[in-house]
Amino acid sequence: MIINGDFEIISWDEETYSNVGERAKMTRASVSQSFEGDFEGDGQVEYLMAYSDDTTARFVGQQWISGHVGERTGSVVLQISGTFDGETAQATWTVVDGTGTEDFRGVTGQGGFTAPLGDRAAYTFDLTFPDAGSSDAAAE
């Protein structure tokens, strides 16, 4: 099942924990989000980021999302890996096996997001629910 939508950043709390060059640094960010579109719900993510002297960055994270896709309700944890080119963040997500609850129990999949500077981003997921058999081409 392919799902798409947007999320809004509700809060972003980022702190430097190591300076490693003139402008290079390592940071940790706690972020809250609100999702709209085919998946509606909330998210909480913890990012670890490494900024280069040119202020581009690479980041990894673990994200918990909770909400609904169609009539399916539940939560799941996503593993994130991405880059920031100074203007836009892009990342891929993978569902962490065994973390789904309620109707998301056993869900698998991957996706990602594109986030230009600001508080909104576009997301996409390709999810397979255990009772759905094969991937569908559209959200329910």
Side-chain angles (χ1 to χ4, degrees), residues 16 18-26 50-53:
T16 299
S18 183
N19 290 303
V20 294
E22 277 188 45
R23 290 186 293 177
K25 62 185 177 179
M26 296 175 68
Y51 289 89
S52 301
D53 279 334

Side-chain angles (χ1 to χ4, degrees), residues 80-103:
I80 303 168
S81 178
T83 60
F84 175 66
D85 67 8
E87 294 182 16
T88 302
Q90 294 186 318
T92 58
W93 299 342
T94 303
V95 172
V96 176
D97 291 341
T99 62
T101 67
E102 300 176 64
D103 298 331

Side-chain angles (χ1 to χ4, degrees), residues 1-139:
M1 166 184 305
I2 305 294
I3 63 171
N4 299 288
D6 296 310
F7 65 80
E8 179 179 9
I9 296 172
I10 304 303
S11 68
W12 183 287
D13 180 24
E14 184 174 355
E15 294 187 24
T16 299
Y17 65 88
S18 183
N19 290 303
V20 294
E22 277 188 45
R23 290 186 293 177
K25 62 185 177 179
M26 296 175 68
T27 68
R28 177 177 179 213
S30 295
V31 181
S32 296
Q33 302 155 316
S34 177
F35 287 80
E36 300 171 350
D38 297 330
F39 170 79
E40 293 188 6
D42 298 310
Q44 179 67 38
V45 61
E46 296 293 321
Y47 288 122
L48 293 177
M49 295 177 282
Y51 289 89
S52 301
D53 279 334
D54 66 2
T55 68
T56 62
R58 290 189 169 280
F59 57 91
V60 296
Q62 299 285 313
Q63 177 163 9
W64 171 81
I65 60 172
S66 178
H68 64 88
V69 174
E71 295 190 17
R72 291 181 173 97
T73 299
S75 66
V76 70
V77 174
L78 308 172
Q79 184 171 311
I80 303 168
S81 178
T83 60
F84 175 66
D85 67 8
E87 294 182 16
T88 302
Q90 294 186 318
T92 58
W93 299 342
T94 303
V95 172
V96 176
D97 291 341
T99 62
T101 67
E102 300 176 64
D103 298 331
F104 286 25
R105 192 174 314 274
V107 70
T108 59
Q110 56 192 7
F113 67 84
T114 301
L117 286 177
D119 60 2
R120 294 200 67 83
Y123 71 82
T124 186
F125 277 113
D126 184 357
L127 298 176
T128 301
F129 289 89
D131 61 349
S134 61
S135 248
D136 298 331

